[in-house]
Structure formats: structure tokens, C-alpha cells
Amino acid sequence: MKKITVSAPGKLELYGEHAVVYGRPCIVTSVNQRLKLTVELIKEPIFEFNAPDINIKDYIKPMNKLGLGDIPKGAKHVETALLNFIKKYPINSGVKVTSKSKLNSLLGFGSSSASVVCIIKALSELTGKKLSNKRSFLSDKAIFDIAYKTLLDIQGRGSGVDMAAVIFGGTIYFVTGGKTIKPLNLKSLPLIIGYTGFKAATAPLLNQVALKIKRYPKVIDTIFTGIGQLLPQAQKALSKEDWQTAGELMNFNQGYLSSLGVSSAKLDSMINAARDAGAYGAKLSGAGVGDCMIAFAPPNKVSAVKKAIEKAGGKAINIKSNVEGVRIEL
Ligand code: PMV
């Protein structure tokens, strides 16, 4: 039967994380660590999943039992996305999925979002459901809608920004639930990226913020509004390649995230080290506590900033950002 390989990038939030879960805008970029899924339609009505990178071997289940029973953590995203796809577009075959990841799931670049988007894209191509046309945002939006539903089914809350980054690629301006998905068409993005050394789970941090909203609704609303107000200027600065303004706005954003309680001693020390070494600005990226921090610096300070990040216990990683979104691999 039919078989296809699809790949999708990782992502990094540049501005607006957390606030974007509550109706504010954010800016996200895709990064060149790609997850590859090979998807095959098979005769037997089973779902078969192999993902050697995350120790999943021969996970098999009848198609009519998708979503039921114990699902290993690593299979949850792909299985739920498959289920959501076939609920909307029924198929008469089994599905065999193999994942080959260049995307180190520990770095916090969003390997689960990439896997969700890959399976939906692959199924839409294999079954001839015209969900996507490379040039049509409208049909990429159809992929987004299934991917976003999958995220909400698994995590309960979230903005969907990860899914949009992976589908559309490049750097995008995004509003909660995909209300706005606007490509910024940046020519370059000289982002410095530092990895804390550990991954932080998103859902508990989202719950932590939700609890704070209950206790301090006005305070948190003020923080989210403050974050949202950075976005128009940040978008302009990125488009004009004004890395100084873009960096300084990152500093404001980090201040807000810190007062939300999602930074950590490790992130703080890497961010401060980057600033002390001459960065225009730096902040955490994503849900917080672990994963990565990002910075902009003048070209003559980039190497000093990377060294400072390493000295603070982080790992400076050289990965291209602002890259192509989900694509069919030949
Ligand atoms: O997927 P993470 O952990 O990088 O976080 C994504 C950004 C959040 O705003 C914290 C969550 C969301 O759904 O927008």
C-alpha cells in the first residue's frame, strides 16, 4: 500500500509565551532540528508505532481501540492525532508509523508537536484528503485545527503556537488558537540559543500559571497585558533587523516571565551571563524553568556571549532558526 515520509522542524518562542494561552499574541520561530515520520497505509486494521529514539518498539493496537487503554507517553501524541484525523476523515486501512528523530526531545524544541503535525500531514497526503497545499494557508489551517485539538485533548490547555510554528515554518506572529497566523518573512534571525541541560514539562507550568490567575487575577492580567504590548514593537524590530530593540524587548519580556514565576536560577544565571557579556537582551523561551534561553547580541559580541552562557553552566547550541515548516521528504 502507500507510504510517505514527512519531516517537521522544532520551534522556539521569541516573545509572548504563557500570555498567548490567554488571548495575547506571541512570536515563534522554527528551528532546524527535524523530526521525520514514515507513515504507511497497511491492509491489517491496526496502528503500529516504532520510535527507537524514545524506546518505543512494536507498539501495536487495533484501529478501533485507538485512544483507549494505557498509552505509553511517547505514543500518546501520534495516536491521538491519528484518532482525531480519522474521526474527521475515516479511512479503511491500518496505519504503520516509524519515527526517526534528529530532534533531540530533551532540548525542548517541541518533538511532540512535530510528531502530531507530521502524522496529520502524512495522512492527508496518503489518503488524498486535500488538507494542505503548500501555497495555501487556508488548508494548512485545516492541519492546524486537527493538531490543536490533539494538543487540547492531551494537555487540557495551550495556545497551539507550537503546532503553528511546525506547520508554517519561518517566524510567525500568532494569536491564541490560530486566530491570527501571520508569517513575518524574515530574511535572517541571528538568534543565540543556550540550553539549560534539562527539559521542563509544559503542562505543570501551565497549571501553575492557571493557579496564579485564580489567586491574583488582576496582577496576572496586568503582566499578560504588558507582555502583549511588547509584541507590535518586537515584530517591527525583527522585520527591520533592529536586533538591539529586539534584544531590549526580550529583557522586558523576561522580567514579566520572571514575575510570573516561570524562570529558574539556572535560566537566570545564563540570561544574566549573556547580558553581562554584551548581549542586547536575553530571555527564557517556552514554558520556562528548563529548556532553552535565547539572546540577541552585536556580531562582535556573539562569541563572548556564547562563552558566558557555557560558563554559567549552559550549552550554547548552533541551530539555524527561521527554517521551512512541515514538508514531504522524497
Ligand atoms: O511547548 P513549550 O513548553 O515550549 O511552551 C509553549 C509556550 C506556552 O505559551 C508556555 C504554552 C502554549 O501553549 O502557548
Side-chain angles (χ1 to χ4, degrees):
M1 290 189 88
K2 294 197 279 184
K3 186 169 166 176
I4 198 169
T5 297
V6 169
S7 82
K11 55 84 211 162
L12 276 173
E13 278 83 21
L14 299 183
Y15 306 89
E17 50 274 88
H18 287 290
V20 69
V21 180
Y22 299 92
R24 272 67 170 198
C26 79
I27 296 178
V28 66
T29 193
S30 48
V31 297
N32 203 18
Q33 272 226 331
R34 302 187 80 85
L35 177 119
K36 258 191 202 174
L37 275 196
T38 299
V39 181
E40 189 177 355
L41 298 182
I42 52 175
K43 278 212 180 92
E44 214 182 329
I46 53 166
F47 165 51
E48 189 181 332
F49 184 45
N50 278 289
D53 310 300
I54 48 169
N55 289 327
I56 296 198
K57 202 172 172 294
D58 296 330
Y59 171 71
I60 294 177
K61 157 176 236 183
M63 289 292 279
N64 60 9
K65 295 277 188 299
L66 286 178
L68 304 176
D70 273 344
I71 305 172
K73 201 166 158 261
K76 189 132 193 141
H77 282 82
V78 170
E79 183 169 331
T80 310
L82 170 60
L83 179 62
N84 281 332
F85 182 91
I86 62 171
K87 270 189 198 159
K88 249 186 135 167
Y89 307 100
I91 56 176
N92 292 322
S93 54
V95 178
K96 182 175 170 183
V97 181
T98 311
S99 138
K100 284 177 228 144
S101 182
K102 283 232 164 70
L103 210 164
N104 183 341
S105 60
L106 294 177
L107 291 178
F109 287 143
S111 52
S112 31
S113 322
S115 67
V116 165
V117 167
C118 280
I119 176 102
I120 299 169
K121 173 79 174 173
L123 287 170
S124 80
E125 296 291 327
L126 284 174
T127 61
K129 316 275 187 223
K130 281 281 168 230
L131 289 181
S132 170
N133 164 342
K134 266 257 151 244
R135 277 165 296 274
S136 158
F137 275 169
L138 208 76
S139 41
D140 278 348
K141 183 68 167 52
I143 293 186
F144 173 82
D145 290 341
I146 302 177
Y148 185 41
K149 178 178 180 340
T150 302
L151 171 83
L152 293 180
D153 287 349
I154 294 172
Q155 206 171 265
R157 53 167 73 90
S159 68
V161 63
D162 300 24
M163 303 297 179
V166 168
I167 295 167
F168 294 87
T171 302
I172 58 174
Y173 182 94
F174 176 92
V175 181
T176 326
K179 275 190 221 85
T180 305
I181 302 176
K182 188 171 108 187
L184 298 189
N185 299 319
L186 304 183
K187 285 195 200 73
S188 68
L189 187 67
L191 202 60
I192 298 170
I193 306 168
Y195 176 50
T196 54
F198 54 93
K199 181 167 168 46
T202 305
L205 282 163
L206 292 182
N207 294 341
Q208 193 181 302
V209 170
L211 282 177
K212 288 217 169 127
I213 294 173
K214 269 208 177 129
R215 282 181 61 116
Y216 308 103
K218 289 221 168 105
V219 177
I220 305 294
D221 190 62
T222 306
I223 292 174
F224 286 164
T225 301
I227 292 175
Q229 283 170 348
L230 302 174
L231 269 288
Q233 215 176 342
Q235 182 191 329
K236 239 185 242 160
L238 294 174
S239 299
K240 287 183 7 202
E241 306 198 341
D242 174 358
W243 311 123
Q244 179 167 354
T245 305
E248 285 168 10
L249 290 165
M250 278 184 172
N251 287 338
F252 288 116
N253 199 160
Q254 174 62 21
Y256 287 123
L257 287 166
S258 191
S259 61
L260 258 189
V262 297
S263 198
S264 63
K266 183 74 179 274
L267 279 166
D268 288 347
S269 68
M270 291 165 68
I271 289 164
N272 289 332
R275 290 173 185 161
D276 289 347
Y280 291 129
K283 65 180 276 293
L284 66 85
S285 173
V289 176
D291 297 339
C292 289
M293 51 73 69
I294 51 176
F296 284 121
N300 63 346
K301 294 280 165 64
V302 168
S303 141
V305 168
K306 286 184 180 169
K307 276 195 193 119
I309 289 171
E310 301 250 339
K311 208 162 162 223
K315 188 170 172 15
I317 37 183
N318 295 317
I319 295 175
K320 216 169 160 255
S321 49
N322 194 39
V323 300
E324 195 185 351
V326 66
R327 67 171 183 234
I328 314 265
E329 297 285 329
L330 294 173

